[in-house]
Amino acid sequence: MFAFVSKIIDNLNDTWCDSVLDSGVLPHAVLRVFIRRELRRRLNEITPPFPEKVIDTVSAKGNPSLKAKLEVLASPKIALLPGVLAPISKWSETLAYKMNFFETVRHQPIAIETDAANRQNYEIATGIMANMLGPRIKYSCSYYPTGNETLGEAEEKMLDLYIERLGLRPGMRFLDLGCGWGAAVLYFAEKIPGLEVVGFSNSRTQKEYIDAKAKELGLTNVRIITGNCTDYEFQPNYFDRALSVELFEHMKNYEGLMAKMSRALRPGGQLLVHHFCHRTTPYHYEDGWMARTFFTGGTMPSSDLLLYFQKDLVIKKHWWINGYHYSRSLEHWLENTMARREKMMPHLTETYGEDMAFVWHNRWQIFHLASSEMFKTDGGDTWGVTHALFEKPDPEAVTLGAVTMEALEI
């Protein structure tokens, strides 16, 4: 029976496929099987030999053709034994692909499709997210160190991890770039009263929620700025620490964004970037249900992506967080979405209209299912989350270090 349904789905065009998914007729168990199959298809696409459509995504003006590079690599170069030549190295192909990918995004704007990303994920009724997510409304991976945490506990475990890795303390100026519904800014402001907390959001509804919540909690050290991070400029050399959680996945020109963050940080200031990723290989969301519905213009970074963009900020520490943690987060969100359907419906209607509220309730379920299955693939070691801590070089410290060394040599 499954093989028969699978064949039918394979022969549907995108419109018909979306209609079937929107209808909610397929049980979650069946959807999970389809999702796992699609994930294997995606892995095949980003594993050498690369299909033409993948090669085309990393071709840009001023960027040598990846296809030409791969043709050069295809000629065996090493003799394993007399008369036995080594085949092309798949890792060589992957690195060639990655180098072209990184060069291609340097020719792009900081972000594309920003209006679509905002509409799909952020400029929506707060009631949807408040019912779907945990108590902190953290729309990103939480942390389950024992595996027994509730969603609320896991949210705070991850927030505490940010505090630890950034070394936040009273007297510092802190920026959350892409602050969402204020999970970090409100938590940090409560936990570290002497911390100046600034959140940056592109969403009116997010700012309204955070401002109201801060007033309710009596927090006077929180300030929210709204704007588009592609063209907004922060006060130069102002912040001691900055955090960005699952924003870079919506970006393209990472060098441009890292330069912007460098200008905002004081010399010696640090930026912690939390982003989900594939372990080795970045790719763009060019087509498919996820690209059309939730992630238009998005990118799946590789775990090492930002290590190739250190012109303005320098890497200090780098961590991998197993995809299991994100899968657990998403399964909790799915449970909430199902259990709180009646509470969510008025807010879904407010955002999407009465005729589309039911459809979008189904779409959010599929989003959670698809993302959870992705992050649990291969035990959470294929897709996961990375934390990268960067620092803005301090010219005075560098100069002082050089003087000290010269004095020691004398």
Side-chain angles (χ1 to χ4, degrees), residues 291-335:
R292 292 192 299 275
T293 312
F294 281 96
F295 210 33
T296 303
T299 297
M300 175 62 70
S302 56
S303 62
D304 62 350
L305 182 143
L306 293 179
L307 305 188
Y308 290 86
F309 299 92
Q310 297 190 57
K311 182 178 176 183
D312 298 282
L313 298 173
V314 179
I315 190 71
K316 301 298 289 183
K317 293 183 179 180
H318 193 202
W319 300 268
W320 168 264
I321 295 175
N322 186 283
Y324 157 84
H325 296 276
Y326 216 151
S327 179
R328 287 282 293 164
S329 306
L330 287 149
E331 293 293 343
H332 273 141
W333 298 352
L334 177 62
E335 290 171 12

Side-chain angles (χ1 to χ4, degrees), residues 92-339:
S92 293
E93 285 194 71
T94 299
L95 284 178
Y97 164 85
K98 288 174 72 169
M99 293 305 102
N100 263 55
F101 182 98
F102 300 145
E103 189 58 33
T104 297
V105 296
R106 286 189 172 96
H107 293 273
Q108 293 187 281
I110 287 180
I112 62 173
E113 302 286 1
T114 53
D115 289 343
N118 203 28
R119 184 176 64 253
Q120 292 165 349
N121 292 277
Y122 305 112
E123 199 67 73
I124 60 180
T126 299
I128 295 174
M129 310 309 279
N131 282 289
M132 186 169 67
L133 307 179
R136 294 278 173 184
I137 317 186
K138 187 181 190 303
Y139 186 33
S140 56
C141 179
S142 292
Y143 188 49
Y144 298 79
T146 71
N148 297 317
E149 287 80 7
T150 64
L151 178 56
E153 291 168 343
E155 285 182 324
E156 294 194 1
K157 291 288 186 183
M158 184 64 87
L159 293 169
D160 285 333
L161 202 57
Y162 300 151
I163 292 174
E164 175 189 332
R165 291 179 171 175
L166 278 166
L168 293 178
R169 58 184 184 273
M172 284 184 167
R173 294 168 173 172
F174 166 78
L175 169 67
D176 185 352
L177 182 68
C179 64
W181 281 266
V185 294
L186 293 170
Y187 186 74
F188 296 173
E190 285 182 274
K191 196 156 188 177
I192 313 173
L195 184 71
E196 180 184 339
V197 179
V198 178
F200 185 85
S201 170
N202 60 353
S203 166
R204 171 189 55 82
T205 56
Q206 289 178 347
K207 175 177 168 54
E208 289 172 354
Y209 173 79
I210 298 169
D211 285 344
K213 195 69 177 177
K215 184 177 180 180
E216 175 190 324
L217 296 170
L219 300 174
T220 58
N221 56 334
V222 177
R223 175 165 55 96
I224 304 301
I225 303 169
T226 55
N228 188 326
C229 72
T230 62
D231 53 28
Y232 188 90
E233 281 295 329
F234 299 97
Q235 184 175 338
N237 301 311
Y238 186 79
F239 294 101
D240 299 287
R241 296 290 188 270
L243 172 70
S244 180
V245 178
E246 297 184 23
L247 169 82
F248 275 65
E249 298 88 331
H250 294 287
M251 303 295 115
K252 296 298 182 185
N253 191 326
Y254 308 102
E255 194 163 83
L257 185 54
M258 294 291 273
K260 183 187 291 286
M261 292 308 298
S262 176
R263 292 192 292 272
L265 287 169
R266 291 177 172 179
Q270 295 183 338
L271 164 70
L272 180 66
V273 180
H274 160 136
H275 67 76
F276 58 73
C277 57
H278 183 270
R279 183 179 59 197
T280 60
T281 312
Y283 56 87
H284 299 296
Y285 280 81
E286 299 282 349
D287 53 28
W289 182 88
M290 190 65 79
R292 292 192 299 275
T293 312
F294 281 96
F295 210 33
T296 303
T299 297
M300 175 62 70
S302 56
S303 62
D304 62 350
L305 182 143
L306 293 179
L307 305 188
Y308 290 86
F309 299 92
Q310 297 190 57
K311 182 178 176 183
D312 298 282
L313 298 173
V314 179
I315 190 71
K316 301 298 289 183
K317 293 183 179 180
H318 193 202
W319 300 268
W320 168 264
I321 295 175
N322 186 283
Y324 157 84
H325 296 276
Y326 216 151
S327 179
R328 287 282 293 164
S329 306
L330 287 149
E331 293 293 343
H332 273 141
W333 298 352
L334 177 62
E335 290 171 12
N336 288 344
T337 302
M338 299 297 293

